[in-house]
C-alpha cells in the first residue's frame, strides 16, 4: 500500500495526515502534481495549488473564458465575507445574491442577467457553490485551493473595480 | 516528474487543474494531455501516485476518481464516509431517480449514476414519511449532498456530477448494494452476498 498516495487522497477529502507521516516525501509527491502543503485558517494541513500548478492557465480561463466581471463577482463575494487577502475556507457563506447585485450596481454594473451568468460559470468551475433557487452563494472548494498568484490578481481586480 | 520535458509538464499540470476544478467530466480533445496518448499515460502515472485514477463516463468524457485500493483504505479509516442519514437520502434518490427508471427502460442501459430523473422535494419527503427522519433532517442532508456534488444544485433533486467520479467497480457495487437492499431474498442478492463473503474470507 502506497501510504503517501493514501495520505494525499485523505488530504483531498479534508483529512490531515497521521502523525509520523514522512512530511518531506508527502510534500515532494504533492509537488509532482503542482501542489503544495499549506495551513488553512483552522490550522489544519491542506493541499493547495502552487503557482506552477496553474501555469498560465488562469482557472477562470478554462473551460469558460476569462471575464473581468467574474473576477469582480468573486471579489465582491470575498468582500462580503470579510476577506483580508488570506486563503478563504471552502463552504464559507452564504452571501445573498442581492448583496452581490448591490455591489455590482455601486460599481456601475447594473445587470442582473450578467450576474446570474457569472455565478453559473463560477459554480461550474466549483469556485463557488450557488443555490439559484434560494439566491445564495458560498465559497467553493476550487477557490480555497487556488495558488497565491490567483489571490494577488483578485486583490488587484478589487482595487480596480 | 523527472525526465518530463517542461512543455509536457505544463500540459500535464493544466489537465490536472482542469480535471480537479471542473464540476463535470471533460471532453478529451479539449486538453492536450487528455487527447495525446503518450501524455495521457504520463498523466495516469502521476494520478496513481496521488491515489487517483482517470474515469471515463458512458460518453467517453473524462474526470478523476479515487483508486479503488486507496478508496478502500480511506473507508477503512473512516475518511470520506457519508453520515448514515446522508447515505439513506442518497440511496433513495438513486433508487427513485436512476435505478427504477432504468429498470423500466426509461433511462439508457448504462452504469452512469450521475444523470437521472429529477425529483421534487415533496416526492422525496413522502418516501421518508414515518421512517423517523424529520423534514429538517432530510432537508439538511439534501443541502450537504448538494455541497458535495452528489446531488445537483438547484431546486429539484437529482444525482450530481460527483457520481461521475465513481470507478467502474464502485458503480457496479452501487447496483449490487441496491439489489441487496431492495430484493434481499432474491437469488441475485444471494449470489452477490455469497461472492462478497468469499472475497472477504480470501483477504
Amino acid at each position: 500500500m502506497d501510504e503517501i498516495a493514501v495520505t494525499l487522497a485523505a488530504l483531498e477529502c479534508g483529512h490531515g495526515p497521521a502523525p509520523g507521516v514522512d512530511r518531506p516525501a508527502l510534500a515532494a509527491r504533492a509537488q509532482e502534481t503542482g501542489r503544495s502543503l499549506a495551513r488553512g485558517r483552522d490550522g489544519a494541513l491542506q493541499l493547495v495549488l502552487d503557482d506552477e500548478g496553474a501555469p498560465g492557465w488562469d482557472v477562470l480561463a478554462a473551460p469558460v473564458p476569462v471575464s473581468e466581471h467574474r473576477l469582480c463577482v468573486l471579489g465582491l463575494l470575498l468582500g462580503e465575507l470579510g476577506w483580508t487577502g488570506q486563503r478563504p475556507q471552502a463552504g464559507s457563506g452564504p452571501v445573498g445574491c442581492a448583496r452581490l447585485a448591490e455591489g455590482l450596481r455601486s460599481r456601475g454594473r447594473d445587470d442582473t442577467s450578467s450576474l446570474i451568468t457569472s455565478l453559473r460559470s463560477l459554480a461550474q468551475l466549483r469556485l463557488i457553490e450557488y443555490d439559484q433557487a434560494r439566491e445564495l452563494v458560498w465559497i467553493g472548494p476550487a477557490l480555497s485551493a487556488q495558488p497565491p498568484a490567483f489571490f494577488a490578481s483578485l486583490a488587484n481586480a478589487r482595487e480596480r473595480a | 516528474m523527472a525526465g518530463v520535458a517542461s512543455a509536457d509538464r505544463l500540459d500535464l499540470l493544466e489537465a490536472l487543474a482542469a480535471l480537479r476544478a471542473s464540476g463535470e467530466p471533460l471532453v478529451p480533445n479539449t486538453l492536450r494531455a487528455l487527447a495525446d496518448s503518450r501524455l495521457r499515460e504520463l498523466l495516469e502515472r502521476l494520478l496513481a501516485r496521488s491515489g487517483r485514477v482517470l474515469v471515463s463516463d458512458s460518453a467517453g468524457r473524462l474526470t478523476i476518481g479515487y483508486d479503488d485500493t486507496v478508496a478502500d483504505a480511506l473507508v477503512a479509516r473512516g475518511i470520506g464516509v457519508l453520515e448514515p442519514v446522508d447515505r439513506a437520502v442518497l440511496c433513495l434518490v438513486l433508487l427513485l431517480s436512476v435505478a427504477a427508471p432504468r429498470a423500466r427502460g426509461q433511462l439508457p442501459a448504462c452504469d452512469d449514476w450521475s444523470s437521472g430523473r429529477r425529483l421534487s422535494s415533496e416526492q422525496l419527503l413522502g418516501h421518508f414519511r414515518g421512517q423517523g427522519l424529520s423534514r429538517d433532517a432530510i432537508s439538511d442532508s439534501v443541502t450537504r449532498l448538494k455541497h458535495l456534488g452528489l446531488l445537483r444544485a438547484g431546486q429539484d433533486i437529482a444525482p450530481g456530477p460527483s457520481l461521475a467520479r465513481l470507478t467502474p467497480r464502485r458503480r457496479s457495487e452501487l447496483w449490487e448494494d441496491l439489489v441487496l437492499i431492495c430484493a434481499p431474498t432474491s437469488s441475485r442478492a444471494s449470489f452477490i452476498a455469497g461472492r462478497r463473503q468469499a472475497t472477504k474470507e480470501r483477504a
Side-chain angles (χ1 to χ4, degrees):
Chain A
M1 173 67 65
D2 184 342
E3 272 305 319
I4 299 292
V6 174
T7 304
L8 278 177
L11 274 170
E12 294 204 39
C13 294
H15 284 259
V21 79
D22 185 342
R23 201 62 75 85
L26 188 64
R29 189 77 67 88
Q31 207 158 31
E32 288 178 5
T33 50
R35 296 177 296 177
S36 42
L37 304 176
R39 293 274 170 202
R41 281 201 309 193
D42 56 358
L45 205 61
Q46 63 179 116
L47 275 172
V48 298
L49 278 174
D50 56 30
D51 285 335
E52 196 200 22
W57 180 76
D58 183 330
V59 68
L60 292 178
V64 293
V66 177
S67 120
E68 185 73 13
H69 193 272
R70 288 188 187 95
L71 270 179
C72 187
V73 170
L74 278 178
L76 285 169
L77 171 64
L78 288 166
E80 288 292 329
L81 294 171
W83 184 55
T84 53
Q86 294 168 323
R87 187 176 303 284
Q89 198 152 12
S92 300
V95 172
C97 293
R99 293 300 298 264
L100 298 176
E102 196 183 302
L104 286 172
R105 267 195 298 275
S106 71
R107 286 157 177 77
R109 299 179 193 232
D110 191 2
D111 183 352
T112 305
S113 65
S114 293
L115 172 60
I116 292 173
T117 303
S118 283
L119 289 174
R120 281 182 185 157
S121 298
L122 292 169
Q124 186 182 19
L125 290 166
R126 305 197 71 197
L127 289 167
I128 65 170
E129 303 284 356
Y130 173 41
D131 187 328
Q132 189 168 354
R134 292 194 291 162
E135 297 185 353
L136 294 172
V137 182
W138 294 259
I139 297 291
L143 184 58
S144 71
Q146 288 312 302
F150 177 83
F151 295 107
S153 67
L154 200 51
N156 290 338
R158 283 184 73 200
E159 280 176 27
R160 286 196 302 271
Chain B
M1 277 201 278
V4 175
S6 63
D8 286 348
R9 181 169 167 80
L10 290 179
D11 285 323
L12 290 167
L13 291 176
E14 178 188 54
L16 283 167
L19 285 165
R20 279 192 210 107
S22 178
E24 300 280 349
L26 302 175
V27 176
N29 64 12
T30 56
L31 290 162
R32 191 167 159 252
L34 297 181
D36 180 282
S37 57
R38 178 185 64 87
L39 284 176
R40 191 153 142 180
E41 196 186 310
L42 270 175
L43 180 68
E44 289 183 283
R45 272 197 265 145
L46 265 183
L47 285 169
R49 286 170 64 74
S50 299
R52 308 300 294 267
V53 291
L54 269 183
V55 176
S56 177
D57 70 4
S58 53
R61 299 177 309 166
L62 295 170
T63 185
I64 48 173
Y66 288 95
D67 171 87
D68 287 329
T69 312
V70 168
D72 288 342
L74 293 178
V75 167
R77 298 170 201 193
I79 294 172
V81 178
L82 293 178
E83 293 298 317
V85 63
D86 294 344
R87 286 209 294 272
V89 170
L90 182 61
C91 174
L92 194 59
V93 171
L94 292 179
L95 200 53
L96 297 172
S97 176
V98 183
R102 192 166 286 159
R104 288 186 216 115
Q106 293 164 347
L107 285 176
C110 62
D111 64 354
D112 181 6
W113 286 101
S114 64
S115 58
R117 290 287 179 89
R118 292 187 170 271
L119 309 171
S120 67
S121 302
E122 289 310 313
Q123 275 178 290
L124 186 68
L125 288 166
H127 281 279
F128 275 110
R129 207 159 283 136
Q131 299 299 320
L133 281 175
S134 70
R135 195 181 181 93
D136 282 347
I138 295 165
S139 178
D140 288 346
S141 175
V142 167
T143 299
R144 285 192 294 273
L145 291 170
K146 285 184 178 181
H147 277 307
L148 290 170
L150 290 167
L151 296 181
R152 289 205 177 266
Q155 205 164 5
D156 288 340
I157 294 171
S162 289
L163 290 166
R165 297 180 185 273
L166 293 174
T167 61
R169 185 192 122 191
R170 286 314 205 244
R171 286 180 222 157
S172 94
E173 281 178 358
L174 202 42
W175 275 111
E176 293 177 356
D177 287 344
L178 288 179
V179 169
L180 291 171
I181 291 167
C182 299
T185 57
S186 67
S187 55
R188 184 159 171 78
S190 300
F191 173 76
I192 292 167
R195 195 189 63 214
R196 287 186 176 184
Q197 183 60 30
T199 303
K200 207 181 287 187
E201 283 162 5
R202 275 197 304 269

